[in-house]
Amino acid sequence: MYESDSLIIIPTYNEKENIEKIIRAIFALEKCFHILVIDDGSPDGTAAIVKRLINEEFGERLFIEERSGKLGLGTAYIMGFKWALAHDYEYIFEMDADFSHDPNDLPRLYEACHDKGYDLAIGSRYVSGVNVVNWPIGRVLMSYFASKYVRIITGCNIHDTTAGFKCYRRRVLKTIELDKIRFKGYAFQIEMKYTAYKIGFRIKEVPVIFVNRREGVSKMNTGIFGEAFFGVIKLRIDSFSRHYPKITE
């Protein structure tokens, strides 16, 4: 039996070059993790690769949910969060499929929550300098100053506000009203962190090195950054009248 208290959610769209490699890399770790892949109808056969691995090798710890098309990163994670809560996982992770997030950092995020008592651990590119490899300088600057912008507008003291490599304790996702999370793209990551911050959860930034994908095609575009730019202002304005839920566990 491969029992685990931890679930890693990996949203995918056209990740056939990476998906089997990332799954095997995670399952090679000493700590036992389970994986939930949420595939948005990848035409390249990503889901078929995952289902083969489930049927042939990893049926007790690898799972997949398939959606009909590209419905947005945020909705994929919300679906995964609800799945994780329904299946009683205590630690729920967000992670990309393309090795920009190093599987070897997963135990460090787990340790921050499990051993040190934090509610949310963020794999941070900017908490100890700028730890990004193989990104064009323009994208590095855009990402770095985007996080600075979010900190200024929201007053949220998180260095990497747009990071997508995270570990939540179960109680965070139970407390956040997931159906009220409005953003689907880049701003989703900001909204989740800001909401956790406003509720009062303990947040830890764990320094990681972010490596640009080696295979496959990036899903980033200027529209995603636009949503984030204007979304942050709306988040801040709405926070003045919003009643955030209280921590009950």
Side-chain angles (χ1 to χ4, degrees), residues 89-110:
Y89 289 96
E90 182 60 36
Y91 303 96
I92 299 98
F93 294 73
E94 295 183 16
M95 186 177 188
D96 291 346
D98 60 8
F99 284 94
S100 56
H101 304 145
D102 187 347
N104 291 308
D105 288 325
L106 288 165
R108 297 172 60 227
L109 297 180
Y110 177 79

Side-chain angles (χ1 to χ4, degrees), residues 126-146:
Y126 307 129
V127 71
S128 60
V130 179
N131 296 313
V132 178
V133 177
N134 292 336
W135 257 11
I137 187 63
R139 186 169 175 186
V140 173
L141 293 173
M142 181 179 293
S143 175
Y144 179 77
F145 285 108

Side-chain angles (χ1 to χ4, degrees), residues 2-155:
Y2 294 95
E3 295 184 358
S4 179
D5 59 356
S6 303
L7 180 73
I8 300 168
I9 302 169
I10 304 179
T12 55
Y13 183 78
N14 286 349
E15 291 289 356
K16 69 176 182 179
E17 296 93 349
N18 296 304
I19 191 61
E20 181 169 353
K21 296 174 187 174
I22 197 75
I23 288 169
R24 292 191 181 279
I26 293 168
F27 287 157
L29 296 171
E30 182 177 351
K31 156 74 179 165
C32 180
F33 293 95
H34 289 182
I35 299 173
L36 172 65
V37 174
I38 299 182
D39 186 70
D40 273 5
S42 299
D44 72 345
T46 298
I49 294 171
V50 177
K51 287 187 280 190
R52 172 177 58 79
L53 293 173
I54 291 172
N55 292 330
E56 295 180 358
E57 297 183 63
F58 303 123
E60 294 181 348
R61 48 184 170 156
L62 176 61
F63 311 95
I64 186 169
E65 293 287 337
E66 295 181 78
R67 307 200 300 173
S68 59
K70 293 184 72 174
L71 303 176
L73 180 74
T75 61
Y77 274 126
I78 295 296
M79 180 181 186
F81 295 157
K82 292 179 177 180
W83 194 98
L85 293 175
H87 290 81
D88 296 325
Y89 289 96
E90 182 60 36
Y91 303 96
I92 299 98
F93 294 73
E94 295 183 16
M95 186 177 188
D96 291 346
D98 60 8
F99 284 94
S100 56
H101 304 145
D102 187 347
N104 291 308
D105 288 325
L106 288 165
R108 297 172 60 227
L109 297 180
Y110 177 79
E111 178 188 21
C113 292
H114 180 268
D115 298 341
K116 297 180 179 178
Y118 288 96
D119 298 301
L120 169 58
I122 300 167
S124 177
R125 298 162 290 186
Y126 307 129
V127 71
S128 60
V130 179
N131 296 313
V132 178
V133 177
N134 292 336
W135 257 11
I137 187 63
R139 186 169 175 186
V140 173
L141 293 173
M142 181 179 293
S143 175
Y144 179 77
F145 285 108
S147 283
K148 288 282 190 183
Y149 165 76
V150 174
R151 291 180 70 192
I152 292 169
I153 297 297
T154 64

